[in-house]
mmCIF file of all heavy atoms in Angstrom:
data_model
loop_
_atom_site.group_PDB
_atom_site.id
_atom_site.type_symbol
_atom_site.label_atom_id
_atom_site.label_comp_id
_atom_site.label_asym_id
_atom_site.label_seq_id
_atom_site.Cartn_x
_atom_site.Cartn_y
_atom_site.Cartn_z
ATOM 1 N N ARG A 506 11.664 -9.161 -4.463
ATOM 2 C CA ARG A 506 12.127 -10.184 -3.523
ATOM 3 C C ARG A 506 13.399 -9.695 -2.841
ATOM 4 O O ARG A 506 14.228 -9.017 -3.466
ATOM 5 C CB ARG A 506 12.416 -11.483 -4.271
ATOM 6 C CG ARG A 506 12.958 -12.604 -3.381
ATOM 7 C CD ARG A 506 13.483 -13.764 -4.201
ATOM 8 N NE ARG A 506 12.411 -14.430 -4.916
ATOM 9 C CZ ARG A 506 12.556 -14.995 -6.131
ATOM 10 N NH1 ARG A 506 13.710 -14.957 -6.762
ATOM 11 N NH2 ARG A 506 11.536 -15.595 -6.706
ATOM 12 N N THR A 507 13.543 -10.029 -1.553
ATOM 13 C CA THR A 507 14.800 -9.777 -0.854
ATOM 14 C C THR A 507 15.379 -11.122 -0.435
ATOM 15 O O THR A 507 14.641 -12.069 -0.167
ATOM 16 C CB THR A 507 14.614 -8.915 0.408
ATOM 17 O OG1 THR A 507 13.781 -9.607 1.345
ATOM 18 C CG2 THR A 507 13.998 -7.561 0.063
ATOM 19 N N ALA A 508 16.698 -11.184 -0.403
ATOM 20 C CA ALA A 508 17.386 -12.393 0.050
ATOM 21 C C ALA A 508 18.242 -12.035 1.249
ATOM 22 O O ALA A 508 18.854 -10.978 1.284
ATOM 23 C CB ALA A 508 18.264 -12.943 -1.071
ATOM 24 N N GLY A 509 18.253 -12.887 2.240
ATOM 25 C CA GLY A 509 19.080 -12.634 3.417
ATOM 26 C C GLY A 509 18.378 -11.747 4.415
ATOM 27 O O GLY A 509 17.227 -11.355 4.219
ATOM 28 N N PRO A 510 19.074 -11.412 5.509
ATOM 29 C CA PRO A 510 18.451 -10.653 6.588
ATOM 30 C C PRO A 510 18.062 -9.234 6.176
ATOM 31 O O PRO A 510 18.760 -8.601 5.377
ATOM 32 C CB PRO A 510 19.516 -10.624 7.690
ATOM 33 C CG PRO A 510 20.756 -11.176 7.114
ATOM 34 C CD PRO A 510 20.453 -11.815 5.804
ATOM 35 N N CYS A 511 16.961 -8.757 6.712
ATOM 36 C CA CYS A 511 16.523 -7.381 6.514
ATOM 37 C C CYS A 511 16.849 -6.581 7.770
ATOM 38 O O CYS A 511 16.752 -7.096 8.886
ATOM 39 C CB CYS A 511 15.013 -7.329 6.295
ATOM 40 S SG CYS A 511 14.479 -7.892 4.671
ATOM 41 N N ARG A 512 17.205 -5.310 7.586
ATOM 42 C CA ARG A 512 17.446 -4.410 8.723
ATOM 43 C C ARG A 512 16.172 -4.312 9.564
ATOM 44 O O ARG A 512 15.070 -4.300 9.011
ATOM 45 C CB ARG A 512 17.801 -3.020 8.186
ATOM 46 C CG ARG A 512 18.262 -2.034 9.253
ATOM 47 C CD ARG A 512 18.305 -0.628 8.708
ATOM 48 N NE ARG A 512 16.957 -0.138 8.412
ATOM 49 C CZ ARG A 512 16.683 0.987 7.768
ATOM 50 N NH1 ARG A 512 17.649 1.732 7.308
ATOM 51 N NH2 ARG A 512 15.437 1.358 7.552
ATOM 52 N N PRO A 513 16.313 -4.159 10.892
ATOM 53 C CA PRO A 513 15.114 -3.884 11.694
ATOM 54 C C PRO A 513 14.400 -2.637 11.159
ATOM 55 O O PRO A 513 15.032 -1.751 10.581
ATOM 56 C CB PRO A 513 15.677 -3.641 13.096
ATOM 57 C CG PRO A 513 16.978 -4.376 13.114
ATOM 58 C CD PRO A 513 17.519 -4.263 11.727
ATOM 59 N N VAL A 514 13.109 -2.585 11.363
ATOM 60 C CA VAL A 514 12.301 -1.518 10.770
ATOM 61 C C VAL A 514 12.408 -0.229 11.586
ATOM 62 O O VAL A 514 12.277 -0.225 12.805
ATOM 63 C CB VAL A 514 10.829 -1.965 10.689
ATOM 64 C CG1 VAL A 514 9.953 -0.830 10.171
ATOM 65 C CG2 VAL A 514 10.714 -3.187 9.779
ATOM 66 N N MET A 515 12.653 0.866 10.867
ATOM 67 C CA MET A 515 12.673 2.196 11.481
ATOM 68 C C MET A 515 11.434 2.962 11.035
ATOM 69 O O MET A 515 11.051 2.896 9.865
ATOM 70 C CB MET A 515 13.871 2.987 10.964
ATOM 71 C CG MET A 515 15.201 2.475 11.396
ATOM 72 S SD MET A 515 16.450 3.489 10.542
ATOM 73 C CE MET A 515 17.828 3.186 11.611
ATOM 74 N N VAL A 516 10.847 3.697 11.962
ATOM 75 C CA VAL A 516 9.754 4.603 11.612
ATOM 76 C C VAL A 516 10.370 5.976 11.417
ATOM 77 O O VAL A 516 11.048 6.487 12.314
ATOM 78 C CB VAL A 516 8.691 4.662 12.726
ATOM 79 C CG1 VAL A 516 7.569 5.612 12.333
ATOM 80 C CG2 VAL A 516 8.139 3.270 13.005
#
Side-chain angles (χ1 to χ4, degrees):
R506 178 191 294 146
T507 63
C511 285
R512 188 192 68 189
V514 176
M515 292 175 159
V516 180

